[in-house]
Amino acid sequence: MFEGSHRALIATGGIVVLTAIPDLPQAAVPKKGDVIDHAWRPIIKQPLPAGRPRSWYIAHNRRLKAMRLAIALLDAGAFGAEQATDEKIHRTAEIVGVRPPSPATCRMVRRMMEARR
């Protein structure tokens, strides 16, 4: 559906529209100490390290998904874990473009939102 493009939410007079943006240039993976002056551009994905147990990859991907959802919820104005209901997390996942999260991922999103770090 959005091949060759990125998704973006555009607020137009109180109506939120999901639209496609033509290809953005990919940023190189920043090296240690590099200044990131283009945080809005997606970075090139690197493969995960090989040789770890399958459970590590599952937990890692769950953490990444929960982090994406928590950031999207914070951007949408849900600043507390009590505001992040399962329904709201599922709607956010649909908007962001990720598969619906499991109950375990929803709990992880709420834990991330209530963490004080």
Side-chain angles (χ1 to χ4, degrees):
M1 179 172 152
F2 286 102
E3 291 178 359
S5 62
H6 300 303
R7 293 183 203 115
L9 286 176
I10 299 175
T12 54
I15 301 171
V16 179
V17 179
L18 184 64
T19 183
I21 299 174
D23 279 336
L24 295 172
Q26 295 258 329
V29 177
K31 303 291 184 253
K32 187 173 182 177
D34 285 352
V35 177
I36 301 173
D37 61 348
H38 51 270
W40 54 272
R41 282 195 278 170
I43 63 170
I44 299 169
K45 291 186 178 181
Q46 291 185 325
L48 291 172
R52 303 209 184 220
R54 180 171 168 75
S55 61
W56 183 88
Y57 295 104
I58 292 170
H60 176 75
N61 288 330
R62 185 183 305 271
R63 282 190 302 270
L64 289 178
K65 185 177 193 175
M67 196 177 312
R68 273 189 219 106
L69 290 171
I71 291 168
L73 284 164
L74 289 169
D75 287 344
F79 297 112
E82 66 280 350
Q83 295 174 323
T85 62
D86 284 352
E87 295 80 25
K88 187 176 265 189
I89 293 172
H90 281 246
R91 281 195 311 268
T92 304
E94 188 177 323
I95 291 169
V96 171
V98 297
R99 294 183 60 184
S102 67
T105 304
C106 289
R107 285 191 302 272
M108 189 177 288
V109 168
R110 283 189 285 275
R111 277 199 317 262
M112 284 182 176
M113 292 181 73
E114 65 189 15
R116 302 276 181 207
R117 293 184 187 188

